[in-house]
Amino acid sequence: MSKINKVVILGAGNLATQLAIALNDAGVNILQVYSRTIQSASALADKVNSIAITEISNLAKNADLYICAISDNALESVLDQMPIPIGDVVHTAGSIPMDVFDDYTECYGVFYPLQTFSKNRKVDFSNIPICIESNNLGLQADLMELAGRISNNIHIIDSEQRKQLHLSAVFTCNFANHMYSIGQKLLAEKDVDFDLLKPLIKETAEKVQELDPISAQTGPAIRFDKEIMAKHENELKNLPDFQILYRFVSESIFKMHSEKK
Amino acid sequence: MSKINKVVILGAGNLATQLAIALNDAGVNILQVYSRTIQSASALADKVNSIAITEISNLAKNADLYICAISDNALESVLDQMPIPIGDVVHTAGSIPMDVFDDYTECYGVFYPLQTFSKNRKVDFSNIPICIESNNLGLQADLMELAGRISNNIHIIDSEQRKQLHLSAVFTCNFANHMYSIGQKLLAEKDVDFDLLKPLIKETAEKVQELDPISAQTGPAIRFDKEIMAKHENELKNLPDFQILYRFVSESIFKMHSEKK
């Protein structure tokens, strides 16, 4: 029988929602879902056969694990309201060091699923990297076992590496997605459907599953094709932010390719 | 029997290679492959049962279509060497207007497959958008029929729209890919394997196949989370280019989200 069977989820945002659903699907008992508003706590609790609470003072005492999946800013104020010692606790954040829990309990850790989560898009957890860290080898083993019930892609990652993973994820996910948004905005100006870009977006992401992204690169910037770049910058003359970005990223691409040679 | 059965491919780069392979697989006869060097002309010609040539003067006269899949800079000098009238001719470029052919022949057009091509990565053409334009309705119909033999995703797109598609493709493909390169570089500094980012990259691209990219956005920039952003910028202090980029793109994301509200 596995150690962690009863968990409390603190938070009801995108990550909390998808993680709670995945754990519940894997047979983990979600004792409670805490959120500041009853609407959001209930919305998630209903999905995972759980009880919604909005007061930390109503926290169940008998959970095997408290999972704080709340915003970085809210974490410390929630911890301050919890009874000390809290019990075994983890957070799910990329950029918060594990020792944030040091004053609150004995055994703690991090359970960081590296993925982009939206509330209404169910994700397949099975290949999502889950980055585990703990100050206690017993808890670390239990966290890995728990993670193993929802994913095949478990890693022990320290706080320093996790911070860098989070930063890299901002570039590869949030910033890449912003490039999609810009593409969509540009097409809308000429009444062209964003659908035309979708196979390209998909292939760009597929390519780097196999090739190194530097080797996978194509387009005018790697050959610093001044003629096309000047045309493009001219087309962006009424969108000065995108024009600056175009020039800056093109130069960055060219620089990275020159360094590689 | 379809009209276009014998084609000459001018060019042997990434796009020329993948397009010639797809056409050959579809039963189109690739009469010749022209390239400036015999090495590159032969490398492609051998793949598609064709004849390599390095002199425009050796061009076959009996092709149904001449496909110029050469760099934008080289196009006009190649055209200048071709016998006038050239015959039916298209180029495959995003940013060159169709009327570049105006002085050279009567019927011409554009056959622009919107995808990122690498020489050694075979792509499935079947869902690649092929953007067709022609100054002649008969040729336009023939080009659509030809495109339909390799793809199910055919569009009539004028030069102005195609230019904008190309610009949007630079953002959504080349620039997104550069964000992957930056992620890889950052991870390498802390000895973390780029593989950890791959499911995230894939899901980010999958998400926008269904969701609007603005709705799909996650991460610190949409909520302008100053604390995380300051941490990230600090982590980038030894990589000033990436630090500037981080700030600039974060502000651009926040601005786009604020405008949407």
Side-chain angles (χ1 to χ4, degrees):
Chain A
M1 173 142 174
S2 44
K3 171 85 193 306
I4 299 173
N5 279 312
K6 292 175 296 197
V7 308
V8 168
I9 302 279
L10 295 104
N14 297 347
L15 191 157
T17 298
Q18 298 301 332
L19 179 58
I21 290 172
L23 289 172
N24 181 58
D25 286 352
V28 176
N29 185 357
I30 314 289
L31 293 181
Q32 297 174 321
V33 173
Y34 162 82
S35 182
R36 267 174 300 186
T37 69
I38 190 69
Q39 287 83 356
S40 59
S42 296
L44 177 51
D46 290 351
K47 286 179 186 160
V48 295
N49 301 309
S50 186
I51 293 162
I53 60 168
T54 58
E55 300 292 334
I56 294 290
S57 55
N58 291 330
L59 224 53
K61 305 274 183 289
N62 60 331
D64 300 325
L65 185 69
Y66 298 84
I67 300 179
C68 300
I70 50 190
S71 74
D72 295 11
N73 305 327
L75 181 62
E76 294 212 43
S77 90
V78 164
L79 291 177
D80 284 338
Q81 298 170 58
M82 284 170 82
I84 291 180
I86 292 172
D88 291 355
V89 60
V90 291
H91 70 66
T92 56
S95 290
I96 299 180
M98 170 173 71
D99 61 17
V100 67
F101 294 120
D102 211 30
D103 294 339
Y104 299 95
T105 195
E106 204 179 320
C107 296
Y108 52 78
V110 178
F111 191 100
Y112 174 53
L114 181 55
Q115 191 49 285
T116 167
F117 297 103
S118 293
K119 257 183 205 166
N120 296 316
R121 180 175 163 85
K122 193 166 176 175
V123 287
D124 173 15
F125 255 83
S126 64
N127 72 340
I128 294 178
I130 299 185
C131 304
I132 300 291
E133 184 181 12
S134 179
N135 71 330
N136 177 286
L137 283 179
L139 178 59
Q140 179 178 294
D142 290 342
L143 291 174
M144 290 185 75
E145 191 279 332
L146 180 69
R149 280 184 257 167
I150 57 175
S151 170
N152 305 310
N153 198 354
I154 320 295
H155 301 266
I156 307 260
I157 294 285
D158 68 28
S159 290
E160 195 60 31
Q161 291 176 315
R162 180 163 33 81
K163 209 166 67 177
Q164 195 81 346
L165 263 172
H166 187 216
L167 175 60
S168 306
V170 168
F171 279 93
T172 54
C173 170
N174 307 150
F175 290 6
N177 186 74
H178 190 55
M179 301 302 130
Y180 307 159
S181 300
I182 293 173
Q184 185 183 40
K185 195 167 173 170
L186 293 173
L187 288 191
E189 286 191 344
K190 304 279 176 185
D191 279 324
V192 181
D193 199 324
F194 180 62
D195 280 355
L196 265 85
L197 289 178
K198 288 180 179 176
L200 177 66
I201 286 171
K202 214 166 167 177
E203 168 67 5
T204 305
E206 292 284 350
K207 248 178 148 175
V208 297
Q209 307 294 316
E210 289 165 32
L211 300 177
D212 196 72
I214 296 184
S215 321
Q217 189 61 283
T218 57
I222 39 171
R223 45 179 200 273
F224 219 70
D225 185 328
K226 281 183 189 160
E227 217 169 304
I228 296 189
M229 288 168 59
K231 276 188 196 175
H232 283 166
E233 285 180 53
N234 181 51
E235 285 165 47
L236 293 168
K237 61 180 182 294
N238 298 322
L239 297 162
D241 282 359
F242 297 163
Q243 195 182 43
I244 293 167
L245 191 62
Y246 184 93
R247 163 58 63 116
F248 196 87
V249 178
S250 294
E251 283 174 357
S252 180
I253 289 173
F254 184 70
K255 216 183 278 181
M256 203 183 266
H257 275 258
S258 310
E259 282 165 11
K260 203 207 159 196
K261 276 174 193 159
Chain B
M1 173 139 174
S2 44
K3 170 85 193 309
I4 299 173
N5 279 312
K6 291 174 295 195
V7 308
V8 167
I9 303 280
L10 295 105
N14 298 347
L15 191 158
T17 299
Q18 298 301 333
L19 179 59
I21 292 172
L23 290 172
N24 181 59
D25 286 353
V28 176
N29 186 356
I30 314 290
L31 294 182
Q32 296 173 321
V33 173
Y34 162 81
S35 182
R36 266 175 300 184
T37 69
I38 190 69
Q39 287 81 1
S40 59
S42 296
L44 176 52
D46 290 351
K47 286 180 185 159
V48 295
N49 301 310
S50 187
I51 293 162
I53 60 168
T54 58
E55 300 291 335
I56 294 290
S57 55
N58 292 329
L59 224 54
K61 305 274 182 291
N62 60 330
D64 300 326
L65 185 69
Y66 298 83
I67 301 179
C68 299
I70 49 190
S71 74
D72 295 12
N73 305 326
L75 181 62
E76 294 213 42
S77 90
V78 164
L79 290 178
D80 283 338
Q81 298 171 58
M82 285 169 82
I84 291 178
I86 292 173
D88 292 357
V89 60
V90 293
H91 70 67
T92 55
S95 290
I96 299 180
M98 171 173 70
D99 60 17
V100 68
F101 294 118
D102 212 30
D103 294 339
Y104 300 94
T105 194
E106 203 179 323
C107 297
Y108 52 79
V110 178
F111 191 99
Y112 174 53
L114 181 55
Q115 190 50 284
T116 167
F117 297 103
S118 293
K119 258 184 207 166
N120 296 315
R121 181 175 163 84
K122 193 166 178 174
V123 288
D124 173 15
F125 255 82
S126 65
N127 73 341
I128 293 179
I130 298 185
C131 304
I132 300 291
E133 184 179 12
S134 178
N135 71 330
N136 177 284
L137 282 179
L139 178 59
Q140 179 179 294
D142 289 342
L143 292 174
M144 290 185 76
E145 192 277 332
L146 180 68
R149 280 184 257 166
I150 57 173
S151 169
N152 305 310
N153 198 354
I154 320 293
H155 302 265
I156 306 260
I157 294 284
D158 68 28
S159 290
E160 196 59 33
Q161 291 176 315
R162 180 163 34 81
K163 209 166 66 177
Q164 195 81 345
L165 263 172
H166 188 215
L167 175 60
S168 306
V170 168
F171 279 95
T172 54
C173 170
N174 307 151
F175 290 5
N177 186 74
H178 190 55
M179 301 302 132
Y180 308 159
S181 300
I182 294 174
Q184 184 183 40
K185 195 168 173 168
L186 293 173
L187 288 191
E189 286 191 346
K190 304 279 177 188
D191 280 323
V192 181
D193 199 324
F194 180 62
D195 280 356
L196 266 85
L197 289 178
K198 288 180 179 175
L200 177 66
I201 286 171
K202 213 167 168 176
E203 168 68 5
T204 304
E206 292 284 351
K207 248 178 147 173
V208 297
Q209 306 294 315
E210 289 165 32
L211 300 176
D212 197 72
I214 296 184
S215 322
Q217 190 60 284
T218 57
I222 40 173
R223 44 178 202 275
F224 219 69
D225 185 327
K226 281 183 189 161
E227 217 167 305
I228 296 190
M229 287 168 59
K231 276 188 199 177
H232 283 167
E233 285 180 54
N234 182 51
E235 285 165 48
L236 292 168
K237 62 180 179 296
N238 298 321
L239 297 161
D241 282 359
F242 297 164
Q243 194 182 44
I244 293 167
L245 191 62
Y246 184 94
R247 163 58 63 117
F248 195 87
V249 178
S250 294
E251 282 174 357
S252 180
I253 290 173
F254 184 70
K255 216 183 278 181
M256 203 182 266
H257 275 258
S258 311
E259 282 164 11
K260 201 206 158 195
K261 272 173 197 162

